[in-house]
Amino acid sequence: MKLDTIITGGTLVTAAGKTRADLGIRGERIAAVGRNLASGNRGAERIIDAKGRYVIPAGVDVHVHLDLPFMGSKSADDYNTGTKAAARGGITTVIDFAIPYGKETMNRAVDNWFKKAEGIACVDYSFHGTITDYRRHLREMPSLIERGIPTAKEFMIYANMGWQSDDGAIFSTLEEFKRLGAMLMVHAESCGVLDLLMARYDNPKDKRKYGVRLHNMTRPHFIEAEAIQRAITWCEVTGGKLFIVHMSTECGADLVKEAQERGVKVLAETCPQYLVLDDAVFDRKDGHLFASQPQIKTKADQRRLWRGLRENTVSNVSTDTCTCTLKHKSIWKGDYCKIPMGLPGLETMMPLVYTHGVLKRQLTPEQFVQKCCTDPAKVMGLYPTKGSLDVGTDADIAIIHPTKKTKVDWRKMETNADWSPYQGWALAGFAETTLCRGTVIVEDYKFTGQNGYGQFVPRKNPGNL
Ligand code: URP
Ligand code: ZN
Ligand code: ZN
């Protein structure tokens, strides 16, 4: 069989194990896996030497916010810079949240998000719906599923933006989604007590005294844990399927594990910022840059989340990319309530999880692939098209050097961020080469792909792990 591209001499790493084998690509798919593929006359136009490298399925980031109007500005990475950053980070599929504004329908929001992506995305993409008014939006879910979008999110906070869902909304959505085979994603923070704590410190004296520290003083661990507990209760009694987004706490991870052991269909992702950063960042002069919702927690939480990934009770790692520039962040002017929330993340997710997971022996290389590439595809209905190295699946591949480290420097990155939470950190695991559906889009660590190459990927109903 004629092959277009052959990747030779590398070690293939999948969630199931490591093998020394070549990988042959024909068109957009993996066509052969075996020894010495390049030795027969297969007329391959391109041979990629992967000697001494890991060859892995490219990453799947199921939680991004590109070109999102948010907190008085717009997230600074759009579908062009965000997906270029993804490619350099070894990620070839991103899933964004299409959010309805005002009285918009979910379908209109999805149309709007298609417009943001089409013609400029450089890697593949999909969308989640967002339910901000369940009485209207639930009716639309069958049509979203038909469009290949079998997941939607509800926020338990953000009343000020008109996005918040109450318990009735979450309960009704889980009931209806159970019938449809869809999965509800939830941003779990407890708004009542959060608002009360914020009101308690809403005076110039405390704001001066504590500065950005108020960001985590008003969000103790129980703010996330109580909301996760409540969402799990609604999931358990309805029998629906629930996915906790950006889980940041030890107690949250315990609650999810206990529920899973009782047979409740709940999954949870975490993000690199909760695995490698701790709340000491808020003591820095530029601590406001690190503000996100939920906020960065403690070293004990980090340890618990790594354990959750190893034990498989934390389903996957996602970025929650919501890039803010220094200028955006600077509007806080000493009032933590005004800080635009969110961090850049697409370029550094895989290197951070590889370096702090694999090289620090918290994860095996196989678990790294499982949690960044395969399981996110499985839980979001993209597997095996994405997240796999099996013959017949999309040739979405990252080639990484197992030990070579590069210092993070935002000036040399594709993201529009003019800072990085990880500036100066030495990380291995950047993609030396990335292929998206058989086309090389990163070569020698540089983006070489095409604007508009990325395609929408319709998804099936979400699977179990
Ligand atoms: O602070 C964050 N995470 N911003 C993005 C929006 C969200 O809640 O995920
Ligand atoms: Zn959120
Ligand atoms: Zn988010």
Side-chain angles (χ1 to χ4, degrees):
M1 183 211 306
K2 183 185 173 307
L3 296 170
D4 300 324
T5 302
I6 303 176
I7 302 173
T8 61
T11 300
L12 309 190
V13 185
T14 68
K18 286 203 207 89
T19 4
R20 292 287 294 278
D22 299 343
L23 207 143
I25 296 162
R26 188 149 184 249
E28 298 193 339
R29 313 259 179 280
I30 296 174
V33 178
R35 293 281 176 130
N36 303 319
L37 289 185
S39 64
N41 181 11
R42 292 174 186 262
E45 276 156 34
R46 186 162 202 161
I47 308 280
I48 300 173
D49 181 6
K51 201 143 118 247
R53 310 289 193 268
Y54 284 155
V55 178
I56 65 172
V60 175
D61 183 357
V62 309
H63 187 154
V64 303
H65 303 280
L66 300 176
D67 201 357
L68 172 73
F70 188 54
M71 297 185 83
S73 51
K74 240 183 188 195
S75 60
D77 275 311
D78 63 9
Y79 271 83
N80 193 247
T81 60
T83 54
K84 284 179 178 162
R88 268 203 79 234
I91 291 170
T92 58
T93 311
V94 298
I95 314 185
D96 198 343
F97 295 86
I99 305 185
Y101 286 83
K103 293 270 169 240
E104 277 176 359
T105 62
M106 281 210 289
N107 276 293
R108 168 56 80 88
V110 169
D111 295 343
N112 292 341
W113 254 258
F114 265 109
K115 284 186 204 128
K116 292 173 194 274
E118 276 167 350
I120 61 168
C122 303
V123 302
D124 289 349
Y125 55 89
S126 178
F127 306 117
H128 306 287
T130 310
I131 294 174
T132 55
D133 179 349
Y134 77 100
R135 289 189 181 83
R136 286 188 304 113
H137 289 155
L138 271 190
R139 290 198 292 271
E140 293 185 69
M141 203 55 204
S143 62
L144 253 68
I145 292 172
E146 256 176 40
R147 294 177 82 173
I149 303 175
T151 47
K153 179 162 76 171
E154 288 181 341
F155 294 100
M156 294 172 86
I157 61 165
Y158 296 134
N160 54 339
M161 312 220 251
W163 292 353
Q164 190 174 315
S165 289
D166 61 14
D167 289 346
I170 293 169
F171 181 88
S172 311
T173 306
L174 282 161
E175 274 185 330
E176 179 64 2
F177 276 25
K178 183 185 177 195
R179 210 176 58 76
L180 298 171
M183 181 165 73
L184 174 64
M185 306 169 77
V186 160
H187 174 134
E189 287 190 284
S190 198
C191 59
V193 178
L194 171 59
D195 289 347
L196 179 131
L197 293 178
M198 288 180 79
R200 198 173 275 175
Y201 291 105
D202 192 14
N203 62 77
K205 194 167 150 241
D206 281 333
K207 285 184 179 173
R208 243 191 334 272
K209 182 168 169 195
Y210 299 112
V212 72
R213 268 275 168 206
L214 283 175
H215 177 55
N216 54 331
M217 286 165 64
T218 51
R219 287 183 145 84
H221 286 59
F222 58 74
I223 294 291
E224 180 177 87
E226 188 278 334
I228 289 180
Q229 173 63 79
R230 200 152 23 99
I232 285 174
T233 301
W234 305 140
C235 176
E236 188 160 13
V237 296
T238 57
K241 198 179 257 189
L242 177 69
F243 184 94
I244 308 292
V245 299
H246 49 45
M247 185 170 69
S248 64
T249 54
E250 179 176 15
C251 35
D254 288 343
L255 289 166
V256 167
K257 181 170 192 272
E258 284 157 24
Q260 288 171 344
E261 284 168 355
R262 293 198 300 278
V264 182
K265 295 189 205 79
V266 57
L267 300 169
E269 66 178 9
T270 190
C271 310
Q273 52 271 32
Y274 308 120
L275 291 166
V276 303
L277 296 173
D278 64 76
D279 55 2
V281 293
F282 300 118
D283 293 330
R284 288 172 44 155
K285 258 208 188 112
D286 60 355
H288 67 288
L289 297 179
F290 293 81
S292 62
Q293 294 174 127
Q295 90 284 17
I296 290 158
K297 303 290 193 311
T298 68
K299 287 201 186 302
D301 296 293
Q302 289 178 5
R303 284 192 290 275
R304 179 64 185 87
L305 294 167
W306 283 113
R307 177 153 71 82
L309 290 169
R310 280 193 298 279
E311 289 174 350
N312 232 4
T313 48
V314 177
S315 61
N316 65 292
V317 184
S318 310
T319 61
D320 192 13
T321 291
C322 187
T323 305
C324 301
T325 60
L326 294 176
K327 190 164 171 233
H328 289 160
K329 290 274 186 183
S330 74
I331 63 172
W332 84 299
K333 296 201 181 10
D335 181 352
Y336 79 102
C337 303
K338 297 200 178 116
I339 310 175
M341 300 288 173
L343 304 172
L346 276 156
E347 215 148 340
T348 46
M349 174 180 109
M350 302 264 281
L352 285 165
V353 179
Y354 183 81
T355 308
H356 290 261
V358 178
L359 297 185
K360 293 198 173 165
R361 301 193 181 285
Q362 313 223 53
L363 296 180
T364 63
E366 290 89 339
Q367 287 168 327
F368 158 70
V369 170
Q370 183 185 351
K371 292 298 160 187
C372 294
C373 317
T374 304
D375 283 357
K378 282 188 178 168
V379 298
M380 292 300 164
L382 284 168
Y383 186 83
T385 309
K386 305 293 186 188
S388 162
L389 291 183
D390 289 350
V391 170
T393 64
D394 280 5
D396 286 0
I397 295 159
I399 303 179
I400 61 174
H401 192 287
T403 51
K404 186 176 150 190
K405 290 187 177 170
T406 321
K407 276 203 174 157
V408 174
D409 183 356
W410 60 265
R411 292 175 203 86
K412 298 185 182 148
M413 289 161 72
E414 293 290 345
T415 169
N416 253 342
D418 51 1
W419 68 287
S420 168
Y422 315 103
Q423 181 72 8
W425 290 30
L427 299 179
F430 280 103
E432 184 176 344
T433 310
T434 306
L435 292 94
C436 180
R437 281 179 286 104
T439 297
V440 174
I441 59 169
V442 169
E443 246 180 300
D444 195 18
Y445 299 99
K446 288 181 207 67
F447 178 76
T448 55
Q450 297 279 319
N451 295 338
Y453 178 78
Q455 285 180 358
F456 174 73
V457 202
R459 293 184 287 127
K460 302 184 288 281
N461 278 7
N464 295 319
L465 282 185

